[in-house]
Amino acid sequence: MTATSRRGPQAATGEAPLIIRFAEIEEGDLPLVGAKGYNLGRLLRAGFPVPDGFCLTTHAMRSFIREGGLEQRLRRILEHAAGGQLQVHTSWSFLGETRRLMVETPLPPRLREELRRAYEEGLGRRVVAVRSSGTREDTEAASFAGQYESFLNVRGFEYLEDAVRRCWASIWRNRVLHYLGQQRVAPSDLVLGVVVQILVKAESSGVLFTVDPLTGRDDRMLIEATLGLGETLVSGRVNPDRYLLEARSGELLAAELGDKKLVLRAMYSRDSRGEERFGAGAEPAEEPEEAERLRRTLEPAVLRELVALGTGVQEHFGRPMDIEWARERDGRLQIVQARPITQLGFEPELGEWTDANFKDGGVASGVCTPFMASLYDRIFSETQTRWWREELGVLEPEREVDWLRVFYARPYWNVGEVKRLLMRLPGFVERDFDEDLGIARPYEGPGRVSRLSLVGLLRGLAVLWRGARVQRRYLQAAPAFVGSFLQDYERLDAVDLEALGRSELLERYARLLEEDYVRTESTYFLMVYVVSLAKLDFKAIFDRVQRLAGGALDYLALVSGLTDVAHLRPFVELAEIARRLRAGGAATGGDGGGGRRPGAAPGAAPPLPELGPFLKRYQHHSTRELDITVPRWGEDPSFIERTLRQLVQAPGGEDPRALAQRQVALYERARQQAERCLRRWPLVLRPWWRRRFFRALERLRQIAWWREEVRDCSMRMYWLVRKYTLALGRRLVAEGAIGAPEELFLLRWDQVLALARGEIAPEAARREIAWNRTYLRSFRNFEPPHEIGSRHRYEHGAGTEPDSGAAGGRRLLRGVAGSPGRCRARARVVRRLEEGDRLQPGEVLVTVFTDPGWTPLMSIAGALVTETGGLLSHAAVISREYGIPAVLACAGATLAIADGQELVVDGAAGTVEICAAEGGN
């Protein structure tokens, strides 16, 4: 192909190209070629079967508008669209005239010549399809499928020229502008690329969904197929065949044959020299033969081939995909379009599932390995059954519950079952429960509310008695458990695993997983449940007192001011090291452990002796604490070194000890205020309320503190599990069973033991590892819904609509009040911890979730906004201890807020006001 290359004269001058071949499309070209062209280019370069072609860029469209004298007219439309003034009954004729002008306006001479060369020399005047490629079309955030124009069976330069102009003109339709308004797309985005692609001589065509869009099942694929070209299918003019298949094997699960009355064929003929010529027409013809209309379009072997192709495309993009395909007469499959699936439904019998607290804890913050998911499944299932059946006596003895499932490579827990159990108790209000955990509410009003009955009342009294007993028991047992665990930890951590024989290593590893891990992690999970119960107890008496006190009490301040919290200790100590280094004028650098790391520059600063003991004490921490594939600080101290350098060179935050003292003072003032209120009329007449109030408050604070101590034990246990698993993995690599030690994380924990014991053949284990790797990669870039089930529907970008109640054109987002205070500052959107060095002191940290690895960033932030979390989440606890405002469970915050926008964060009201429309940097 000899069309002007972006690496030709235009690239040398820095001018944006007018035309780019598919094979030349690069990372970052989405704004230039549009999403459809960008995805096709990515697939072609990755080796997928994609018919050749090229893209006219958005720069080409701007050039056409500018040189064609259309700017003023189109600017008026944009202004009307921005003001919501475009109405169907008033704009129809005006937009129609605009489209006519665009179709009749000639292309600029230079663009016309480049288009001619690209088509005639590059594609050999082949019959092509011409399709729009919007910069927001076919992206995960908004699928514009069917909103713009496409033209098939185009042959001849004059026909191509006309089709390109008609694609550009298709923006100016009421249906497109209405859809743009629904998707909250800025009018300035209204430019298109245009895809010109060789038309496949399709025997059959269709659409492949790599996840079943009707049920949301990620282990199913759905294929729709018809005869000829796929335009009749995507336009809804034919009833296609429908095939439901198992994603891993390609096994056909169900087939439904449609009556394919209309067929659109590729119109080809050949002249005397054998060259393809344009036939005629692009309208489908009626298929007269009933047997032909009802015949099966795809055989099982082709279906399996399509499933394999869909698996590859989904893995390449890392998210569920909607793929348009065509099968040539010789049987070859071609991909003609690929876009992310933007909407999913869920089957009614699924129930209700959430990742609340799992995402905040980190285990569901990204794709979760089968090893980690299976560990969590065992502990969560065992402790939930024990909690509801043995501790609280609510779960029926005969009932079997599926407590945890994996969707889209992330664990979710059965919130529907938890709500069913809570509905058996008096006083349950679904909205209060959902708001506390940051769960989306697909209902109006209070939701489901338990009815008061004699049986329910008696059951509730029994639960209250059991709950108080459970809280006392776990609070009394926590110190002994922590002390005993730390002794066991030192012993287990000191073992030289490489010196052990294989059988002894396997025996110790099995005991670690089946006994030590279960005991430690079960205790931690149960402590989490106990904290939630203590919070409910205190909140009940708090709300009653607050009503009689006229709203004078400060709940968030009363649960603040915990001292010497476990997951703050390393950062208090690190801040002290930084203070000493600043005072001594020392430079930072080196490995902090007595020697330069491999690859360190000859002129690097000397090692930091104080960091060695620090890393030994806190070796079990990491940047993603519940992702067992991530090295701990004891293995890779680079995060700590970067944090220390930042603290030394740019000390933007207050000393952690001073912050802690300030929060203690805040708590003491709030407690004194509560004392005064409880001694005033009318509360003075109820002295038992005072005793109950402070007893419940003190118990909540103590249990919350001990929960963090037990959490630290949990993190230490995961360090041991990772350490022992990799040691066993090295043995299995030496034996030729697996390719790398880390591959064990791609198996369930019980499969790892079975492989090491010879109960699973290495070949079977390697097949399992390969599929699980593919599964994880298939959803690595997907942002799944936080809630899954019959009451929910996935729609990417939903939940980001701002509150219209803000004055002066400002927008207001609402979430859960997590930490009191008010902060006005610029936003910094940080989706991953690795981007944390972009945060400047005093800025508002806007992110999806936090776990303990984020604590250093929170120490310099002016405020925090997260999309997940509740009052007792990590984000809330740390924000209160650092004294910064925090708004949690603010759905879609990272999409609604742009870097540099000025925000007002009100942590007590749970609101985030967006003051500026544009990002500042």
Side-chain angles (χ1 to χ4, degrees):
M1 184 173 183
T2 57
T4 302
S5 168
R6 64 176 311 167
R7 296 175 179 82
Q10 292 170 345
T13 61
E15 183 182 353
L18 300 173
I19 292 175
I20 304 178
R21 294 177 53 190
F22 285 174
E24 294 174 339
I25 292 172
E26 300 174 350
E27 288 292 329
D29 280 345
L30 174 61
L32 203 56
V33 300
K36 189 179 283 107
Y38 182 65
N39 288 344
L40 288 171
R42 288 181 63 185
L43 288 171
L44 183 68
R45 295 183 66 180
F48 290 93
V50 175
D52 198 11
F54 59 85
C55 294
L56 284 85
T57 66
T58 52
H59 178 62
M61 181 178 178
R62 290 189 178 97
S63 172
F64 167 70
I65 292 172
R66 183 177 60 252
E67 296 186 36
L70 299 167
E71 279 187 297
Q72 185 174 355
R73 184 181 187 92
L74 301 185
R75 187 179 296 112
R76 285 168 55 196
I77 297 177
L78 293 178
E79 290 170 354
H80 280 76
Q85 301 170 29
L86 281 179
Q87 304 296 328
V88 173
H89 62 283
T90 58
S91 60
W92 187 274
S93 60
F94 178 72
L95 291 175
E97 177 65 16
T98 300
R99 293 193 302 275
R100 186 188 65 78
L101 284 174
M102 293 192 73
V103 170
E104 294 178 354
T105 299
L107 298 181
R110 177 180 155 205
L111 173 59
R112 191 170 189 271
E113 180 57 29
E114 288 200 23
L115 179 61
R116 182 189 297 277
R117 287 204 307 270
Y119 173 62
E120 295 182 352
E121 300 176 21
L123 297 184
R125 293 176 53 84
R126 301 278 295 278
V127 178
V128 295
V130 182
R131 297 184 174 94
S132 62
S133 182
T135 56
R136 290 289 297 269
E137 180 186 10
D138 295 350
T139 63
E140 189 181 6
S143 176
F144 283 66
Q147 300 302 319
Y148 299 134
E149 297 290 353
S150 295
F151 300 92
L152 306 179
N153 284 324
V154 177
R155 186 176 190 275
F157 181 69
E158 291 74 17
Y159 290 106
L160 173 61
E161 209 178 357
D162 181 68
V164 168
R165 289 193 296 258
R166 289 181 185 276
C167 280
W168 284 336
S170 66
I171 287 183
W172 314 103
R173 291 183 181 275
N174 269 302
R175 65 175 184 177
V176 176
L177 294 172
H178 174 70
Y179 192 80
L180 289 166
Q182 286 185 322
Q183 292 294 328
R184 300 181 294 278
V185 175
S188 58
D189 288 343
L190 296 185
V191 287
L192 288 176
V194 175
V195 167
V196 179
Q197 185 179 38
I198 293 174
L199 187 70
V200 178
K201 304 173 186 178
E203 179 69 20
S204 57
S205 302
V207 180
L208 163 62
F209 298 94
T210 61
V211 166
D212 185 347
L214 304 178
T215 66
R217 291 191 59 165
D218 62 13
D219 60 346
R220 301 285 188 267
M221 291 193 184
L222 183 66
I223 295 175
E224 293 183 336
T226 191
L227 301 173
L229 299 177
E231 182 64 21
T232 55
L233 188 156
V234 297
S235 63
R237 300 171 70 181
V238 70
N239 293 324
D241 292 351
R242 178 171 289 181
Y243 305 95
L244 184 66
L245 300 111
E246 208 276 328
R248 181 169 181 175
S249 66
E251 176 188 354
L252 180 61
L253 302 174
E256 179 184 331
L257 302 186
D259 188 354
K260 301 170 284 294
K261 293 182 179 180
L262 295 177
V263 180
L264 178 62
R265 300 288 184 186
M267 298 296 183
Y268 287 94
S269 62
R270 295 184 182 273
D271 61 18
S272 58
R273 293 174 297 178
E275 292 184 356
E276 293 174 347
R277 299 187 63 82
F278 178 61
E283 286 298 315
E286 211 169 298
E287 178 58 61
E289 298 294 332
E290 184 177 2
E292 182 69 9
R293 298 200 315 256
L294 297 176
R295 77 173 173 88
R296 182 175 179 147
T297 51
L298 301 173
E299 296 303 318
V302 181
L303 291 171
R304 287 193 295 271
E305 189 179 353
L306 272 170
V307 167
L309 185 63
T311 299
V313 172
Q314 180 174 250
E315 183 179 3
H316 179 73
F317 286 101
R319 54 171 53 96
M321 299 296 290
D322 165 355
I323 303 163
E324 291 187 30
W325 55 271
R327 186 169 181 253
E328 298 187 86
R329 293 168 186 169
D330 61 6
R332 289 184 300 167
L333 290 170
Q334 298 282 349
I335 298 172
V336 296
Q337 290 194 55
R339 53 182 166 258
I341 294 175
T342 60
Q343 293 189 359
L344 294 172
F346 301 107
E347 49 195 346
E349 60 270 23
L350 182 60
E352 189 176 359
W353 302 78
T354 183
D355 66 2
N357 285 351
F358 278 7
K359 182 174 281 290
D360 183 73
V363 73
S365 60
V367 292
C368 181
T369 63
F371 186 85
M372 190 68 193
S374 65
L375 289 176
Y376 243 59
D377 186 13
R378 177 178 183 179
I379 299 302
F380 189 75
S381 297
E382 290 182 2
T383 56
Q384 280 288 298
T385 299
R386 176 178 169 183
W387 179 253
W388 294 106
R389 180 172 291 156
E390 299 176 21
E391 301 292 7
L392 299 185
V394 180
L395 180 63
E396 301 90 336
E398 70 285 356
R399 187 174 178 85
E400 294 294 326
V401 179
D402 189 6
W403 287 108
L404 185 144
R405 287 188 189 177
V406 172
F407 301 94
Y408 316 115
R410 294 159 175 86
Y412 288 72
W413 56 274
N414 193 341
V415 67
E417 177 66 12
V418 171
K419 288 181 178 180
R420 186 191 73 84
L421 294 171
L422 291 172
M423 282 288 290
R424 304 184 70 199
L425 303 175
F428 172 70
V429 178
E430 187 176 24
R431 176 170 287 275
D432 293 344
F433 177 87
D434 286 342
E435 286 183 347
D436 189 45
L437 289 175
I439 294 173
R441 298 173 294 281
Y443 51 82
E444 297 294 331
R448 290 175 290 197
V449 178
S450 60
R451 296 179 179 178
L452 185 62
S453 66
L454 180 59
V455 173
L457 182 60
L458 293 175
R459 186 184 293 125
L461 291 173
V463 168
L464 285 175
W465 179 80
R466 283 172 173 260
R469 186 183 63 175
V470 165
Q471 292 177 56
R472 289 194 299 270
R473 191 171 76 248
Y474 277 85
L475 186 57
Q476 292 167 2
F481 168 80
V482 172
S484 174
F485 170 84
L486 291 177
Q487 291 179 2
D488 292 341
Y489 169 78
E490 294 296 335
R491 174 179 53 81
L492 293 168
D493 189 43
V495 174
D496 184 355
L497 300 176
E498 305 303 322
L500 298 178
R502 189 189 189 283
S503 60
E504 186 178 358
L505 174 61
L506 178 55
E507 181 183 349
R508 286 175 178 264
Y509 180 66
R511 189 162 58 244
L512 181 77
L513 287 185
E514 295 176 327
E515 298 177 17
D516 300 325
Y517 170 78
V518 171
R519 181 171 56 253
T520 303
E521 198 67 354
S522 294
T523 302
Y524 171 60
F525 270 63
L526 288 164
M527 281 296 290
V528 171
Y529 308 155
V530 171
V531 167
S532 298
L533 187 60
K535 175 186 171 298
L536 289 173
D537 282 354
F538 175 64
K539 193 67 165 58
I541 183 64
F542 174 87
D543 288 343
R544 297 174 72 182
V545 171
Q546 181 78 311
R547 283 192 295 270
L548 292 177
L553 305 185
D554 188 339
Y555 177 84
L556 294 178
L558 286 169
V559 295
S560 300
L562 300 177
T563 57
D564 192 30
V565 178
H567 55 258
L568 284 178
R569 286 180 200 136
F571 303 105
V572 170
E573 191 169 331
L574 200 63
E576 178 59 23
I577 294 174
R579 187 193 63 77
R580 290 200 299 267
L581 287 171
R582 284 197 303 272
T588 58
D591 62 5
R596 184 179 294 126
R597 291 195 309 279
L608 212 56
E610 295 182 60
L611 211 48
F614 173 91
L615 290 172
K616 178 60 180 174
R617 279 192 295 277
Y618 303 114
Q619 63 183 354
H620 55 286
H621 287 297
S622 81
T623 55
R624 291 168 65 93
E625 306 241 291
L626 288 178
D627 186 344
I628 205 162
T629 66
V630 175
R632 313 288 109 168
W633 293 351
E635 301 166 277
D636 178 9
S638 57
F639 171 75
I640 287 299
E641 292 171 355
R642 289 197 307 271
T643 302
L644 182 59
R645 281 195 296 271
Q646 186 178 17
L647 290 173
V648 172
Q649 296 167 3
E654 193 174 345
D655 178 74
R657 289 191 174 87
L659 285 172
Q661 292 171 359
R662 192 172 69 195
Q663 292 306 106
V664 169
L666 178 67
Y667 158 69
E668 290 175 346
R669 287 196 297 273
R671 184 184 175 99
Q672 290 167 5
Q673 174 68 7
E675 287 272 11
R676 287 192 291 270
C677 289
L678 284 160
R679 295 183 184 281
R680 293 175 187 160
W681 180 270
L683 290 167
V684 69
L685 300 178
R686 303 175 184 180
W688 61 92
W689 277 27
R690 179 181 179 280
R691 291 193 297 271
R692 183 182 165 195
F693 182 93
F694 287 110
R695 184 170 61 244
L697 172 61
E698 194 57 35
R699 188 164 58 223
L700 170 60
R701 291 173 59 84
Q702 289 181 26
I703 293 174
W705 190 90
W706 278 108
R707 179 196 64 175
E708 297 310 312
E709 292 295 302
V710 180
R711 185 210 288 260
D712 188 65
C713 296
S714 170
M715 293 303 102
R716 291 175 188 269
M717 178 52 66
Y718 281 116
W719 156 262
L720 294 175
V721 170
R722 173 178 165 82
K723 181 179 175 179
Y724 277 61
T725 302
L726 292 176
L728 180 62
R730 288 189 287 272
R731 302 293 178 93
L732 293 173
V733 169
E735 296 168 6
I738 57 175
E742 292 79 9
E743 289 184 352
L744 291 184
F745 296 135
L746 294 171
L747 298 172
R748 299 193 313 269
W749 70 268
D750 55 313
Q751 291 176 320
V752 171
L753 288 177
L755 174 63
R757 290 165 174 164
E759 298 166 0
I760 294 179
E763 296 79 10
R766 287 194 290 270
R767 286 194 299 270
E768 190 73 13
I769 287 168
W771 170 254
N772 287 336
R773 181 184 288 113
T774 295
Y775 178 69
L776 293 182
R777 286 183 51 79
S778 294
F779 298 100
R780 69 191 184 280
N781 297 324
F782 183 47
E783 294 185 9
H786 297 308
E787 280 69 48
I788 287 174
S790 55
R791 302 170 75 194
H792 300 271
R793 180 176 178 84
Y794 168 72
E795 181 176 354
H796 184 80
T800 62
E801 184 69 47
D803 191 315
S804 59
R810 298 181 176 186
R811 296 182 293 162
L812 199 66
L813 305 178
R814 296 187 182 277
V816 172
S819 178
R822 187 178 173 88
C823 171
R824 182 172 187 140
R826 286 182 177 272
R828 185 63 58 196
V829 181
V830 180
R831 293 179 177 274
R832 299 181 302 123
L833 186 56
E834 292 78 7
E835 304 169 355
D837 54 3
R838 296 173 49 243
L839 180 72
Q840 299 301 310
E843 290 183 329
V844 178
L845 173 59
V846 181
T847 189
V848 177
F849 78 102
T850 71
D851 71 5
W854 291 71
T855 306
L857 289 185
M858 295 169 66
S859 70
I860 65 170
L864 175 69
V865 177
T866 69
E867 294 184 347
T868 65
L871 282 171
L872 293 178
S873 65
H874 169 266
V877 172
I878 298 301
S879 296
R880 290 195 292 268
E881 298 316 306
Y882 277 156
I884 62 172
V887 176
L888 316 172
C890 188
T894 59
L895 295 174
I897 298 170
D899 258 358
Q901 286 184 316
E902 190 173 355
L903 306 179
V904 175
V905 179
D906 190 328
T911 60
V912 180
E913 185 179 347
I914 304 175
C915 303
E918 300 296 333
N921 51 349

